[in-house]
Every structure is written in C-alpha cells, then in structure tokens.
Amino acid sequence: MGKPVASMTGFARFETDIQGRLVAWELRSVNGKGLDAKIRLNSGYEALEPDIRRMMSGHLVRGNLQISLQLQKSIGESTPAVNMAVLMDYAAVCDSLVANGHAALPTADGLLALRGVIDQPVDMVVQPDKPLLDEMLLAFASGLDRLISARQAEGREIAQVLMRRLDEMESLVVAAEADDARRPAVIQARLKAQVEALLGTGIGLDEGRLAQEAALLATRADVQEELDRLRAHIAAARTMLAEGGAVGRRLDFLSQEFNRESNTLCAKSNATSLTAIGLQLKVVVDQFREQVQNIE
C-alpha cells in the first residue's frame, strides 16, 4: 500500500498558548482544480504568509484553503475596565436632560455602550519579534497536520466507495460478456423471426443469406473490444487507489474513459438485455466520477 488517498475537503483547528496569549489557527479545505489559499492574518503578522504557503505546498497538491489566525488577550489579563470619569460625565448630562424633560432615564447597558466608557485591553503586540513568529509557525504546522489527517480520513472512506463502484462495474462487464444476445446463433434466430414477421411465415427464407446478414449484424454489434478496455481501465483504477497519493486527476481521466466505453456499448447493443447492462454501467460510472471529484 502506498501513500493514503486524500480528500480535498477537511477542517482543522489548533489552539495553543504562546507567550501568555491564546493563539488559534483554523484551516478549511474544499475541492479545487489546483492548490490555492486565502490567508487571513492579524495586522503585524503578514510576514508569516510566505512560510505558510511554502509549508502548505510541501504537503498538499490540490484544494482551495481558507486559513485564519485568531489571537486572544493574555491568559489572566484583566477584563475590560469601566472609565468612571467618562461615565460620570455622561451621567451628569443625562440627569440634566431628564430633569428638563428632554430624555427618559438611561439604562445601565445604554450608558456602558457609550464611546469611551469601557477601556478595552490592548491586544497582541502589533510588531512581533522573530521568536514569536517562529512559535506561530510551529503552531500552524500542528494545525496543518490535523488538516492533512482529516483529509486522509475522508479519503480512505471515499477510496472504499470507489472500490465498491469498480466491483459493480466489473460485475456488469461479466454480465455483458455472458449475455446470450451477443451469440451469433441468437442473433440469427432473432433476425429470422423479424424477417418472418415482416414477410409472413409462409415465404421461404434463404438460410445462407440469412446467415450472412446475421454475421454482419454480429460484427457491427460486437462489444468485446469495449468490454476489454473496461476491464483494463478497472484494473488501472484499482492500481491507482492502491498506490495512493494525488491520483484525483488520473482517476478523473479514467472516469471519462469509463463513460466513453459505456456509451459505445449502449450504441452498439443489438438487444434490450445488453442495453440494460450498458445503462446500469453508465449509472455506476456517474457515481464513480462524482466521488472522484473529491479526491486530491
């Protein structure tokens, strides 16, 4: 077994204490044709972005990512304080307005919401030094590891689904190969019945000419080449899933080949039983391709 098959969707959050501050990295990933990331960093921490992109591209191949850094106040830092001097000034103005009938009595939450009444604590330093940035990157690496694990866990589930779809395709290929409608004798008997229905059973038929026409129909309706290619594609898909890694694009190409062969099988079919197998194959192929869109 090679590298794990990974999904392109996942979520991870990593929280830690850095220099007395609570730091949280959030990473979200969804499907994408390539690898792209939108990174939201607090003011002063823009220097982290080049290293974040380098680390990300070193571990991921495809997916659209949203990465955000969240900083909270120091652990144990004082809560927001009430500026009593400003509050009393507001209260005095309110008392005057109320006494003159120009306003109703103010509420406590209304007063506290006024500008300057609450002194907010100072947030994380705006210009972090290199040791702090290095610790931030270590925390991001832990968050990235969690995202990779989440994508791989979902990838394992998708790989199992894809294997089941491949088993279904192979069963349908076996059924198509065993279908009696493909046998020349059956084709000839069906052709004879159709001709008799058109001309009347009392008219003699040239058995030699009938055999020639049946052989021609059998040649035109022969789907063995399509079935052989389907078997080869199924084997290739199983090998890719076993090898793992970033196989999404190659599996998507195989999905197109599966679809092409199933379409041809339906087009060349000379019997309702074979057409039914081809249509069911198309359904399974669509289910396979839908899941492949999630693979890295």
Side-chain angles (χ1 to χ4, degrees), residues 91-113:
V93 173
C94 289
D95 287 342
S96 175
L97 293 173
V98 171
N100 294 323
H102 297 305
L105 286 172
T107 61
D109 56 347
L111 287 172
L112 292 174

Side-chain angles (χ1 to χ4, degrees), residues 263-279:
N263 283 336
T264 305
L265 190 150
C266 289
K268 294 174 69 173
S269 171
N270 60 359
T272 56
S273 57
L274 194 58
T275 300
I277 293 173
L279 292 175

Side-chain angles (χ1 to χ4, degrees), residues 35-288:
L35 182 61
D36 186 36
K38 295 181 180 178
I39 304 174
R40 294 175 54 190
L41 301 172
N42 299 57
S43 178
Y45 292 83
E46 294 84 356
L48 292 172
E49 183 166 340
D51 287 319
I52 289 174
R53 293 190 180 278
R54 174 183 54 78
M55 295 166 67
M56 180 186 68
S57 61
H59 294 85
L60 305 176
V61 177
R62 296 172 65 197
N64 289 327
L65 279 73
Q66 292 184 353
I67 300 171
S68 63
L69 171 63
Q70 301 172 7
L71 307 176
Q72 298 184 20
K73 65 182 182 180
S74 299
I75 299 174
E77 187 179 61
S78 60
T79 57
V82 177
N83 189 323
M84 293 303 298
V86 174
L87 178 60
M88 294 308 296
D89 288 341
Y90 280 128
V93 173
C94 289
D95 287 342
S96 175
L97 293 173
V98 171
N100 294 323
H102 297 305
L105 286 172
T107 61
D109 56 347
L111 287 172
L112 292 174
L114 295 172
R115 183 185 297 273
V117 174
I118 300 295
D119 288 332
Q120 297 289 345
V122 178
D123 198 358
M124 200 95 171
V125 290
V126 176
Q127 294 297 332
D129 55 17
K130 188 177 185 306
L132 177 58
L133 292 178
D134 290 341
E135 289 190 66
M136 290 286 190
L137 286 176
L138 286 175
F140 172 75
S142 297
L144 182 59
D145 287 341
R146 290 188 177 183
L147 178 66
I148 292 171
S149 296
R151 286 168 47 126
Q152 289 177 350
E154 183 171 323
R156 285 191 293 270
E157 297 293 328
I158 295 175
Q160 292 177 6
V161 173
L162 292 176
M163 282 295 193
R164 290 197 292 270
R165 297 291 88 82
L166 291 173
D167 289 341
E168 292 176 30
M169 289 185 208
E170 188 168 41
S171 296
L172 290 168
V173 169
V174 171
E177 287 179 331
D179 195 317
D180 281 342
R182 299 179 58 230
R183 292 170 49 219
V186 174
I187 294 174
Q188 182 172 341
R190 185 167 59 248
L191 178 61
K192 181 177 181 179
Q194 291 171 346
V195 172
E196 288 179 344
L198 289 172
L199 301 180
T201 55
I203 299 177
L205 299 177
D206 185 339
E207 293 296 333
R209 179 63 183 277
L210 188 64
Q212 291 177 358
E213 291 297 329
L216 182 60
L217 286 175
T219 301
R220 291 175 177 174
D222 184 24
V223 294
Q224 189 58 52
E225 186 177 350
E226 286 72 26
L227 296 178
D228 289 342
R229 281 199 292 263
L230 281 168
R231 282 190 178 278
H233 296 332
I234 290 170
R238 283 179 173 152
T239 299
M240 290 179 193
L241 289 170
E243 292 175 350
V247 296
R249 284 196 178 93
R250 288 188 290 162
L251 285 172
D252 186 52
F253 173 76
L254 273 184
S255 298
Q256 298 174 43
E257 294 301 307
F258 283 138
N259 190 60
R260 182 178 294 109
E261 302 302 340
S262 59
N263 283 336
T264 305
L265 190 150
C266 289
K268 294 174 69 173
S269 171
N270 60 359
T272 56
S273 57
L274 194 58
T275 300
I277 293 173
L279 292 175
Q280 183 58 34
L281 182 60
K282 284 173 61 64
V283 171
V284 178
V285 169
D286 285 342
Q287 294 171 344
F288 181 87

